Amino acid sequence: MPTSALTSASGRNRPLPATGNHSIRKARLAILLSGRGSNMVALVNAVQHGVLQELGEVVVVFSNKPDAPGLETAAALGCPTASLSSQGRKRAEFDADVVEVLHRYQPDYVVLAGYMRILSPTFIRAFAGRILNIHPADTHQHQGLHAYEWAFENRLPETKITVHLVDEGLDTGPILAQHAVDLRGADTLAEVERRGLAVEHRVYAETLAELIKKERHAEPAEASRVASPD
Ligand code: GRF
């Protein structure tokens, strides 16, 4: 249990200064995936030697699929892992169990990285305003699965990778960042995905880093007040 895991008035952990010294504790990241986990790898790389190095730590990589390849990759990268099979489970009941598991790790942010589940209100409310997702299209134009197929089939000249906060709708939460991907001349779906994923892997970590920095600067008064030992 980290001594510096602070809970604000809103009941959320905050990436705030640690108690008793002037160092800033790192934001605790729970990464959720269901598949290969290439975005997870990019995030872990950013934590280990990139833009998230001084800002975040991966406290768990969780999957609803115990055999997801991304879990094994995460373990090989040195990350704690956890899983609970969602197979045959009712959404709200499963999500309540996931919330219980995740609470053990006290995440500041829940980072969805190819987590192929629609989240129930139970889950969203447990981490309100703290859940991020990356969507491989402009969420105003396309929601749900198969965004690269959509861009390819419609021969779009570009698509927009979107990082957003997750609310109770499907890809409807507030947008944190969007980055255009030039798709001109991409004549296979594989090429569309290759170009898109290269951008995804860069912008997810960058956006998360910006968010952590912004929240650190936004709440220094609350930090020193809550963190003060006396
Ligand atoms: C990515 O395209 C991401 O944008 C979407 O699901 C895919 C996951 O890929 N939400 P990976 O497992 O991170 O490789």
Side-chain angles (χ1 to χ4, degrees):
M1 183 77 59
T3 53
S4 57
L6 308 177
T7 303
S8 74
S10 61
R12 302 189 303 223
N13 289 338
R14 293 287 187 179
L16 301 174
T19 304
N21 61 41
H22 295 294
S23 69
I24 307 280
R25 84 167 170 85
K26 293 176 178 176
R28 299 171 63 80
L29 311 177
I31 301 177
L32 274 53
L33 56 78
S34 302
R36 67 190 164 192
S38 72
N39 276 285
M40 176 278 297
V41 171
L43 289 164
V44 172
N45 283 338
V47 163
Q48 292 180 343
H49 38 75
V51 291
L52 286 166
Q53 204 176 7
E54 304 300 327
L55 298 170
E57 60 180 317
V58 177
V59 292
V60 69
V61 175
F62 173 86
S63 183
N64 65 311
K65 290 186 183 293
D67 59 353
L71 270 188
E72 206 174 314
T73 309
L77 288 167
C79 300
T81 61
S83 67
L84 267 185
S85 175
S86 57
Q87 199 170 13
R89 300 286 314 274
K90 290 207 171 98
R91 189 177 307 284
E93 286 169 20
F94 176 72
D95 277 1
D97 288 351
V98 177
V99 167
E100 197 183 312
V101 170
L102 293 180
H103 272 157
R104 288 181 212 149
Y105 297 92
Q106 301 207 333
D108 295 301
Y109 298 97
V110 174
V111 185
L112 307 182
Y115 188 61
M116 307 302 278
R117 301 273 304 166
I118 293 173
L119 299 174
S120 63
T122 308
F123 191 110
I124 306 283
R125 286 171 200 162
F127 302 105
R130 303 261 126 195
I131 309 170
L132 281 77
N133 185 40
I134 187 159
H135 184 67
D138 182 346
T139 48
H140 291 135
Q141 295 190 321
H142 179 281
Q143 302 82 32
L145 297 173
H146 309 306
Y148 285 130
E149 286 87 338
W150 167 78
F152 178 62
E153 281 158 17
N154 289 288
R155 294 288 188 269
L156 299 185
E158 68 165 35
T159 193
K160 279 191 181 137
I161 304 300
T162 306
V163 179
H164 64 97
L165 292 174
V166 176
D167 64 13
E168 292 184 22
L170 179 63
D171 298 328
T172 53
I175 291 173
L176 298 173
Q178 283 192 315
H179 289 256
V181 185
D182 186 351
L183 296 180
R184 288 171 300 175
D187 50 12
T188 62
L189 176 58
E191 176 60 11
V192 168
E193 284 183 348
R194 191 194 64 75
R195 292 187 195 184
L197 281 167
V199 175
E200 289 192 42
H201 296 161
R202 180 172 54 78
V203 305
Y204 212 0
E206 285 176 0
T207 306
L208 187 50
E210 287 310 308
L211 182 66
I212 294 168
K213 283 193 245 174
K214 207 168 102 189
E215 294 211 340
R216 274 184 177 177
H217 290 125
E219 301 196 23
E222 182 186 359
S224 53
R225 197 170 58 245
V226 180
S228 170
D230 47 26

